[in-house]
Amino acid sequence: MNNKPIGIFDSGIGGLTVTHEIIRTLPHENLIYLGDTARVPYGSRDKDIITQFSLELTRFLLKEDPKAIVVACNTISATCLEAIQAISPVPVIGVVEPTIKEAISTTKTSHIGVIGTRATIASKIYEEKIRSLHHDIQITTKACPLFVPLAEEGWFDHAASKLIADEYLKELRETTIGTLILGCTHYPLLKNIIQEAVGDDIKLIDSARPTAEALKQLLKDNNLLRTEGEPEYKFFVTDSPTISERTARVFFHGAFPGRLEKVTLA
Amino acid sequence: MNNKPIGIFDSGIGGLTVTHEIIRTLPHENLIYLGDTARVPYGSRDKDIITQFSLELTRFLLKEDPKAIVVACNTISATCLEAIQAISPVPVIGVVEPTIKEAISTTKTSHIGVIGTRATIASKIYEEKIRSLHHDIQITTKACPLFVPLAEEGWFDHAASKLIADEYLKELRETTIGTLILGCTHYPLLKNIIQEAVGDDIKLIDSARPTAEALKQLLKDNNLLRTEGEPEYKFFVTDSPTISERTARVFFHGAFPGRLEKVTLA
């Protein structure tokens, strides 16, 4: 049994949707979460800056001596996962690959849609990874930059959010898409209006469960599981905790299992 | 005649609306603009982080030996103008005070409205400054966090933007407000839908012209004006220029007088 913590990081607190699922899947694991709330959002930034910020976050977590690291952010996973793996002595997994595998194994048609931030869509990583696993799958992608601020504002069912979802997603509605990947950790909060906008025939997939399952498999394969005992959780953010507390509770359906603590990156 | 440049900074490129007006008002002045596009937006961050980032920007500009500094951002001006003035050997002006003076001198009723980012509204600086100048003015404020991402997305007249403006501003419509301060440098881009939402009886005031006029007066009073010769402009950003070029052109109505250049803060 390995008591070292799992390090999880995100550009902000969207990665808590993944963390929530990791806690359900691996209830005895110690976790250290780091969200860069002082510089969030990364989704409309350039690759170089996203990489620079992400490596700073990685170095912070590595000082906590984790047994594995989860990049709980689609933008970072899509932009610079390899750069993070290159400086980490412990295994690092992102959210993109587990989600893609889930999408391919469950889609009812050979056409997959992907929505995400500007940086995620611009990276073209979903196309590349899906095609490397499955040549015959058609892929349609769409950046939806306003979804994160809408989710942060808590407008999950607002008429304006519906109009914005329609605007972004109307082109997906009349396609052969069988599965739509919610390629951003905030988007599950907008699941209802996204489903409404694309119609009931398209199955939505988010990153939380596939990533938690992939982490479990990774720990098992490397004999790193912690299978008993009370877990310890630490939640670090780079801006004042009060800025993010409300949204953090929303991501945990009200029962946030700890408190946010401000840290300064080196 | 003083040939030293004027330093202008903002959390991103919204401050270009003010810069545009400074160029019209002071056509011979050399300007150095710095926008922190790698960490924008500041508007929903905490005071401590906004102050820390703003002092980093100030120190960068001071190395360029400016004759004056303009804080072309309502969030920064509202949050930490005094901290910036404390480290600057040259005069520093923000956008809040000039805008307030303009609003007080032109309003037709004794009720002024202010809209801005969460941080600007939370600072309560508009209430404090207006009351210090004029005891009898009633003030109503409202944070409008989605206006910046909507403006950045270029949805100036979109139906969703109208719905969002109605949601934020409907409570201002049936009041005695005579003048509404657009307390964020992005908001002039949404002027039409804001005017529609509050009705034609409310006069909108933004920071650009009052700030440019206040700067002119400051330079005059200190004998710092540059009254002839071709000006030189430098525009620095902290993320890749390509991220902001489109919006920069919008702020200058298409005719952007230079090019954005990436710099790294110390």
Side-chain angles (χ1 to χ4, degrees), chain B:
Chain B
M1 205 166 84
N2 188 308
N3 291 318
K4 286 188 182 182
I6 295 160
I8 305 171
F9 75 91
D10 176 34
S11 55
I13 53 165
L16 291 175
T17 56
V18 179
T19 307
H20 184 240
E21 199 61 35
I22 289 174
I23 289 175
R24 286 163 49 127
T25 309
L26 295 159
H28 302 288
E29 296 294 342
N30 297 315
L31 305 180
I32 296 179
Y33 182 92
L34 173 61
D36 192 9
T37 52
R39 302 186 294 195
V40 75
Y42 289 8
S44 292
R45 307 203 194 288
D46 192 58
K47 181 175 176 151
D48 286 352
I49 282 287
I50 295 169
T51 306
Q52 178 195 321
F53 290 173
S54 301
L55 294 180
E56 288 169 24
L57 298 172
T58 306
R59 285 189 195 101
F60 179 97
L61 277 184
L62 286 174
K63 284 186 197 146
E64 302 282 332
D65 194 22
K67 61 185 175 188
I69 289 181
V70 179
V71 180
C73 171
N74 285 268
T75 297
I76 300 172
S77 300
T79 307
C80 58
L81 184 66
E82 284 176 16
I84 296 164
Q85 288 169 329
I87 68 160
S88 173
V90 299
V92 180
I93 65 165
V95 292
V96 172
E97 213 160 295
T99 313
I100 282 175
K101 286 179 180 164
E102 172 84 3
I104 290 178
S105 71
T106 61
T107 187
K108 284 183 190 162
T109 73
S110 58
H111 188 175
I112 291 177
V114 183
I115 56 175
T117 64
R118 276 206 193 93
T120 296
I121 299 305
S123 77
K124 297 195 181 297
I125 194 165
Y126 280 94
E127 287 98 317
E128 281 167 26
K129 294 264 178 198
I130 292 173
R131 291 233 165 83
S132 76
L133 292 169
H134 207 304
H135 274 289
D136 295 334
I137 286 187
Q138 187 186 344
I139 304 147
T140 300
T141 66
K142 176 77 185 173
C144 306
L146 287 167
F147 279 178
V148 168
L150 282 171
E152 294 270 346
E153 185 74 334
W155 287 18
F156 309 132
D157 289 302
H158 195 280
S161 308
K162 287 179 189 173
L163 261 183
I164 290 169
D166 279 342
E167 172 81 28
Y168 284 142
L169 305 175
K170 64 187 171 197
E171 63 200 74
L172 305 187
R173 203 181 168 102
E174 305 303 321
T175 62
T176 53
I177 288 175
T179 295
L180 178 66
I181 294 176
L182 306 183
C184 173
T185 53
H186 275 75
Y187 293 3
L189 296 178
L190 301 171
K191 212 167 186 169
N192 291 342
I193 60 156
I194 292 171
Q195 188 77 70
E196 233 175 81
V198 298
D200 285 337
D201 291 342
I202 295 181
K203 181 181 161 66
L204 306 185
I205 285 200
D206 70 67
S207 305
R209 212 189 43 75
T211 305
E213 290 296 337
L215 174 65
K216 186 175 179 181
Q217 193 61 45
L218 173 89
L219 296 179
K220 220 177 199 170
D221 293 347
N222 290 276
N223 200 22
L224 291 170
L225 281 168
R226 185 175 194 257
T227 49
E228 57 189 53
E230 278 298 301
E232 264 184 38
Y233 302 139
K234 289 183 194 166
F235 296 96
F236 296 136
V237 285
T238 53
D239 195 355
S240 164
T242 51
I243 297 285
S244 315
E245 269 162 358
R246 189 183 56 85
T247 318
R249 281 195 301 274
V250 171
F251 283 133
F252 269 83
H253 311 287
F256 191 66
R259 60 182 192 83
L260 301 175
E261 190 181 331
K262 184 178 170 179
V263 293
T264 304
L265 301 180

Side-chain angles (χ1 to χ4, degrees), chain A residues 26 91 93 101 213-225:
Chain A
L26 295 160
I93 65 165
K101 285 180 181 162
E213 289 295 336
L215 174 64
K216 186 177 180 180
Q217 193 61 47
L218 174 89
L219 296 179
K220 220 176 198 171
D221 294 347
N222 290 275
N223 201 23
L224 290 171
L225 282 169

Side-chain angles (χ1 to χ4, degrees), chain A residues 16 90 106 124 152 177:
Chain A
L16 291 176
V90 299
T106 61
K124 295 194 183 297
E152 294 269 346
I177 288 175

Side-chain angles (χ1 to χ4, degrees), chain A residues 124-141:
Chain A
K124 295 194 183 297
I125 194 167
Y126 280 94
E127 288 98 315
E128 281 168 25
K129 294 266 177 194
I130 292 174
R131 292 232 166 82
S132 76
L133 292 168
H134 207 303
H135 274 291
D136 296 332
I137 286 187
Q138 189 187 343
I139 303 146
T140 301
T141 66

Side-chain angles (χ1 to χ4, degrees), chain A:
Chain A
M1 204 164 85
N2 187 309
N3 291 319
K4 285 187 182 181
I6 295 159
I8 305 170
F9 75 90
D10 176 35
S11 54
I13 52 165
L16 291 176
T17 57
V18 179
T19 307
H20 184 241
E21 199 60 35
I22 289 173
I23 288 175
R24 285 162 51 123
T25 308
L26 295 160
H28 302 288
E29 296 294 343
N30 299 314
L31 305 180
I32 297 178
Y33 183 91
L34 174 61
D36 193 9
T37 51
R39 301 185 295 194
V40 73
Y42 288 10
S44 291
R45 309 206 193 284
D46 192 57
K47 181 176 175 151
D48 287 352
I49 282 287
I50 295 170
T51 306
Q52 179 197 319
F53 289 175
S54 301
L55 294 180
E56 288 169 22
L57 298 172
T58 306
R59 285 189 196 101
F60 179 96
L61 277 183
L62 286 174
K63 284 186 198 146
E64 302 282 333
D65 194 23
K67 60 186 175 187
I69 288 180
V70 179
V71 180
C73 171
N74 286 267
T75 297
I76 300 172
S77 300
T79 307
C80 58
L81 185 66
E82 284 175 18
I84 295 164
Q85 287 169 330
I87 68 159
S88 173
V90 299
V92 180
I93 65 165
V95 293
V96 172
E97 214 160 294
T99 313
I100 282 175
K101 285 180 181 162
E102 172 85 2
I104 290 178
S105 70
T106 61
T107 187
K108 285 181 187 162
T109 72
S110 59
H111 188 175
I112 291 177
V114 183
I115 55 176
T117 63
R118 277 209 192 91
T120 296
I121 298 306
S123 76
K124 295 194 183 297
I125 194 167
Y126 280 94
E127 288 98 315
E128 281 168 25
K129 294 266 177 194
I130 292 174
R131 292 232 166 82
S132 76
L133 292 168
H134 207 303
H135 274 291
D136 296 332
I137 286 187
Q138 189 187 343
I139 303 146
T140 301
T141 66
K142 176 76 183 173
C144 306
L146 287 168
F147 279 179
V148 168
L150 282 172
E152 294 269 346
E153 184 72 334
W155 287 18
F156 309 133
D157 289 301
H158 194 279
S161 308
K162 288 179 188 173
L163 260 183
I164 291 169
D166 278 343
E167 172 81 27
Y168 284 143
L169 304 175
K170 64 189 172 197
E171 63 199 75
L172 305 186
R173 201 180 169 101
E174 306 301 323
T175 63
T176 55
I177 288 175
T179 295
L180 178 65
I181 293 175
L182 306 183
C184 174
T185 52
H186 275 75
Y187 294 2
L189 296 179
L190 300 171
K191 210 165 187 172
N192 291 342
I193 61 157
I194 292 171
Q195 189 77 70
E196 229 176 84
V198 298
D200 286 337
D201 291 342
I202 295 181
K203 182 181 160 68
L204 306 186
I205 286 199
D206 70 66
S207 305
R209 213 188 44 74
T211 304
E213 289 295 336
L215 174 64
K216 186 177 180 180
Q217 193 61 47
L218 174 89
L219 296 179
K220 220 176 198 171
D221 294 347
N222 290 275
N223 201 23
L224 290 171
L225 282 169
R226 185 175 194 255
T227 50
E228 57 190 54
E230 278 298 300
E232 264 182 39
Y233 302 139
K234 289 182 194 167
F235 296 96
F236 296 136
V237 286
T238 53
D239 195 354
S240 164
T242 51
I243 296 285
S244 314
E245 269 163 357
R246 189 183 57 86
T247 318
R249 282 195 299 273
V250 171
F251 284 135
F252 268 83
H253 311 286
F256 191 66
R259 58 183 194 84
L260 301 175
E261 190 180 332
K262 184 178 172 181
V263 293
T264 304
L265 301 179

